[in-house]
Amino acid sequence: MEHLNADPGSAGEGLNKPRGIGSDGMTLKEMLAQGRLVYETTGCYRGITDPHVLQRDPVKAELLHTRMLSGLIAGREKTRMISASPYVREVSELAIGIYTPEGDNIAQSTGIQAHSRSMGEALQWMIEQDWEGRVGIEPGDLFWFNECSIAGMHPADVYDILPIFWHGELVAWVVTVIMEMDIGAISPGCMPVPNIERATDGIRFAGEKVGTRDQLRHDIHLKCELSFDMSNVFLLDRKGAIAANIHIRGEVEKMVEEFGLDYFKSACGELIEMERRNQLLRLRRMTVPGRYRNVGVFEYFMKDQPLTWLAARKDVIRIAPFETRIETSGRVTIDLEGAGQWGWHSFNATPSGMWGCLAISLVQTLSCDGRANLGSLLPFDLKLPKNSIFNPQDTRPLAQANIWATTIESFGIWLTSLSQSYYMRGFREEMLGFRSAFAIAMAGYDQYGVRRPMVSGTVGTIGAAASAVRDGLSPGGAVPVPHVDVGNVEIWEQFLPYLDLSRRLNPYSVGPGKYRSGLSMPTMSLIFGGRDITGGALLAGGTYNILPNLGLGGGYPGAKLVRAIIRNTNAMELIAEGKPLPAQLGHPANPDFAQMLEGDIWLPHHVPEPFELKTGDVLVDANGAAGGYGDPLEREPDRIRQDLEDGLSTADIAARIHGVVCSCGVEDGHWTIDPAATSALRQQHRQERRARAIPVQTWWQRSRQSLAQRQFHPLIGEMYASSMAMSQSFADEFRAFWALPETWTPEVE
């Protein structure tokens, strides 16, 4: 077998131009343009109307695809073992994909699948900018990319890119993405909140060639050492990614040698086309054509942030109408017409980020069979209004550290629309709710006396959504990272200057319903051993007050995030005296830390940065949970009894939410349900509901009167004004629905 790093030989020349590195001597730019034209003309990837190569021998095709997947997963695990970052080793914030020479995703590993398309977008930008001719693409070249104004989710996600050659022809790319804990941003961690301009986001790479012959350049190595406080972690992550990419390159070499180059190239194209067809088939089979309308509300609280530009210190709320149109053919359009205007903060989304989060949602719903690739996305169109929070036209000056906070919440709304369509066709077991995540960023001197950034690993502590047939997982990870893990306590304590006091499921986090959500797992950490520690927020969208984690089918929302910082505590004294420390959150109205610790309790509503942390302070980080499914009064009493036995609920929740009367045996400690009292209490709850209820017409009349008289909070008025200024159709529909005069406006500055 000829190694891919072998001398490709002389390029050779045609009559008018040098021979390209693509198929049949074409340049990559020519291949990309040709592929786009053919798709526009035929509607099929590469114009493949008859995928005969795969269909002729299904066993051979399955073997090829399985070899790709196994290679990708093995490479991903290799990266995890080499990396020094707990976010890679413990949380698994990475993924790897194989791409065609034109930059189209063929196969992807498990992990943060938002990047399956955006890594291809990075490749295609490089191709369009003529990297082949102006920069050079040779066997063994290494490229980095995290310029998320072009492609990606935020600057902390760094792409390691490696071309794969065979006898001088570029036959594929392999790209690994790793979320870095330090990218040189203005404040602790990799996703700062109090920044408005891109210069404060950290270092960006736009396809920079950083190495040759599978080795990083010396100057790049030195640049990283000078740029990052955690350069050792950053560089070790890069070595892990390079090792994974080289491993996968070797697997591709073996496949090309075994199956033949022609078969490999044809099969790669057909894998994408077959997934496109299968996606359309799934949509036709599992959804009902029509128009589905939901709405998202996005909160950006910047008034109390220490921004250098005073004009940006303001709170804003933005509304985003989500209209999903499903055609009889299976094609889907997600239209955000009426979304509010972008703002000077780090939360504006980008088209690449929105496509990325659509990819996340698909691998957990329609495309869950392990064959997801570019074809999974081809039946979809995204309509993102220009200059809205989803599509600022000039992204160069804007900070983009927290794109995630907007994009991922957005596709919780899309999942609601998809679940509605599932329900209408009878696929109730496929319905999926949503919950985002939140974590803590810090910087300072750790327990070893080293000054560096730090990021907690609480992303995997979220309670997953209920379905229409079962309870959600406890904890179930985060939608953005389907395979996330909270990680090993001892590893995090080794990495961060704190001691974990608690990692227990919280009954009060649950989203109640006939089927409940999973429970979240709050963490309580005692700052210990470090000094001069500055804290901050990570993924601040988790602080939303207008809950994005609504239930389905009558289910209640899950709890929102709870954060507390207890300063000047007596925790160190309690340790010295051998007395207990709080080991669980307890009741939210009277938490255990308030009962067991002395100190000053700070319950920040919106977290301004920075804030100080010192030894003895206790940090409470309680992620919420997704919503439940179905009426909580319809939950089977025996399920509630079992939750009580398992410590997953309380008698108060059982009675107040579910209308279940229960008692715990004094001698045996087992719970029993009183059927007669339960029936009576549930009837009482239903009567109280009816007493509180009002006719829809009455609600509409009251709401219209409030709108007509502009009886709303100034932020709400500004929210309406932004959307109405952005979209005449939204303004017309809004006034028509509420029977308002054509001249009506919110009248805000």
Side-chain angles (χ1 to χ4, degrees), residues 21-33:
I21 62 174
S23 181
D24 297 325
M26 297 175 68
T27 67
L28 301 182
K29 199 170 184 178
E30 290 170 340
M31 291 181 66
L32 180 59

Side-chain angles (χ1 to χ4, degrees), residues 141-352:
D141 282 350
L142 308 175
F143 304 90
W144 288 350
F145 201 107
N146 73 331
E147 182 51 73
C148 54
S149 65
I150 298 167
M153 306 304 296
H154 59 147
D157 292 324
V158 180
Y159 299 165
D160 286 83
I161 300 170
L162 181 72
I164 302 177
F165 284 82
W166 186 260
H167 292 282
E169 179 182 339
L170 182 73
V171 297
W173 301 85
V174 56
V175 188
T176 294
V177 55
I178 294 175
M179 179 179 167
E180 295 299 328
M181 301 178 69
D182 176 24
I183 201 68
I186 191 173
S187 65
C190 56
M191 297 170 63
V193 171
N195 66 324
I196 58 175
E197 296 175 293
R198 63 171 286 138
T200 59
D201 275 344
I203 292 180
R204 302 213 193 182
F205 305 95
E208 187 170 341
K209 184 187 287 194
V210 296
T212 58
R213 301 182 181 272
D214 299 336
Q215 298 291 323
L216 283 180
R217 296 199 330 247
H218 181 62
D219 60 319
I220 295 295
H221 197 283
L222 291 176
K223 178 180 179 179
C224 293
E225 289 184 344
L226 295 170
S227 301
F228 305 121
D229 287 333
M230 294 175 62
S231 60
N232 56 338
V233 173
F234 182 89
L235 288 168
L236 202 53
D237 284 350
R238 305 281 70 76
K239 291 179 180 180
I242 292 170
N245 287 352
I246 291 173
H247 170 81
I248 294 166
R249 182 182 65 192
E251 294 299 307
V252 171
E253 288 180 336
K254 295 175 184 177
M255 285 185 278
V256 173
E257 184 177 55
E258 180 177 338
F259 293 96
L261 180 59
D262 290 340
Y263 180 88
F264 178 81
K265 292 194 295 186
S266 297
C268 287
E270 291 190 9
L271 283 170
I272 296 173
E273 171 60 17
M274 287 296 296
E275 175 58 16
R276 183 192 71 84
R277 298 183 182 199
N278 288 334
Q279 188 76 296
L280 285 169
L281 181 63
R282 298 182 198 108
L283 285 160
R284 291 196 298 269
R285 179 169 60 91
M286 299 181 68
T287 66
V288 175
R291 185 175 68 161
Y292 301 83
R293 308 189 80 181
N294 286 282
V295 65
V297 183
F298 304 85
E299 305 166 62
Y300 310 115
F301 297 100
M302 306 298 291
K303 186 177 181 180
D304 297 327
Q305 299 291 348
L307 304 178
T308 55
W309 189 25
L310 298 180
R313 291 190 183 181
K314 61 180 183 178
D315 299 336
V316 296
I317 300 176
R318 290 289 178 259
I319 194 170
F322 274 71
E323 180 172 290
T324 299
R325 299 187 292 272
I326 304 178
E327 302 173 12
T328 55
S329 65
R331 289 203 61 84
V332 178
T333 299
I334 302 174
D335 193 342
L336 278 74
E337 178 70 23
Q341 189 178 18
W342 66 273
W344 285 103
H345 48 70
S346 65
F347 302 92
N348 298 290
T350 61
S352 180

Side-chain angles (χ1 to χ4, degrees), residues 23-203:
S23 181
D24 297 325
M26 297 175 68
T27 67
L28 301 182
K29 199 170 184 178
E30 290 170 340
M31 291 181 66
L32 180 59
Q34 183 185 77
R36 288 173 173 173
L37 178 62
V38 170
Y39 180 71
E40 290 177 7
T41 304
T42 66
C44 300
Y45 182 76
R46 288 185 182 172
I48 300 171
T49 57
D50 179 20
H52 62 277
V53 172
L54 297 182
Q55 294 176 344
R56 186 168 56 231
D57 192 340
V59 175
K60 185 178 180 180
E62 185 65 29
L63 178 61
L64 176 73
H65 187 258
T66 301
R67 290 268 293 275
M68 283 188 183
L69 284 183
S70 62
L72 288 166
I73 293 171
R76 183 173 181 266
E77 291 305 302
K78 187 183 292 288
T79 303
R80 289 185 63 219
M81 295 302 101
I82 294 174
S83 173
S85 168
Y87 242 78
V88 178
R89 296 180 66 90
E90 302 296 311
V91 181
S92 299
E93 279 267 5
L94 75 159
I96 310 177
I98 298 175
Y99 293 79
T100 68
E102 309 98 306
D104 296 326
N105 180 243
I106 308 165
Q108 54 190 332
S109 73
T110 52
I112 46 176
Q113 313 232 344
H115 300 277
S116 60
R117 172 176 165 127
S118 51
M119 289 192 293
E121 290 174 324
L123 293 172
Q124 291 177 354
W125 181 84
M126 293 166 61
I127 293 170
E128 290 171 334
Q129 300 301 315
D130 194 21
W131 243 242
E132 180 179 351
R134 295 174 178 269
V135 179
I137 303 172
E138 302 287 342
D141 282 350
L142 308 175
F143 304 90
W144 288 350
F145 201 107
N146 73 331
E147 182 51 73
C148 54
S149 65
I150 298 167
M153 306 304 296
H154 59 147
D157 292 324
V158 180
Y159 299 165
D160 286 83
I161 300 170
L162 181 72
I164 302 177
F165 284 82
W166 186 260
H167 292 282
E169 179 182 339
L170 182 73
V171 297
W173 301 85
V174 56
V175 188
T176 294
V177 55
I178 294 175
M179 179 179 167
E180 295 299 328
M181 301 178 69
D182 176 24
I183 201 68
I186 191 173
S187 65
C190 56
M191 297 170 63
V193 171
N195 66 324
I196 58 175
E197 296 175 293
R198 63 171 286 138
T200 59
D201 275 344
I203 292 180

Side-chain angles (χ1 to χ4, degrees), residues 4 119 330 478 705 728:
L4 275 72
M119 289 192 293
Q705 183 178 7
Q728 186 62 49

Side-chain angles (χ1 to χ4, degrees), residues 497-535:
Y498 66 43
L499 297 175
D500 260 304
L501 304 180
S502 171
R503 287 192 178 188
R504 295 190 180 184
L505 297 176
N506 176 23
Y508 296 96
S509 66
V510 70
K514 179 180 180 179
Y515 297 101
R516 59 160 175 77
S517 76
L519 282 65
S520 70
M521 186 170 65
T523 62
M524 277 191 291
S525 307
L526 172 66
I527 303 299
F528 184 83
R531 64 181 177 87
D532 298 334
I533 299 173
T534 298

Side-chain angles (χ1 to χ4, degrees), residues 578-589:
K579 295 181 178 179
L581 294 171
Q584 59 186 2
L585 187 61
H587 196 289

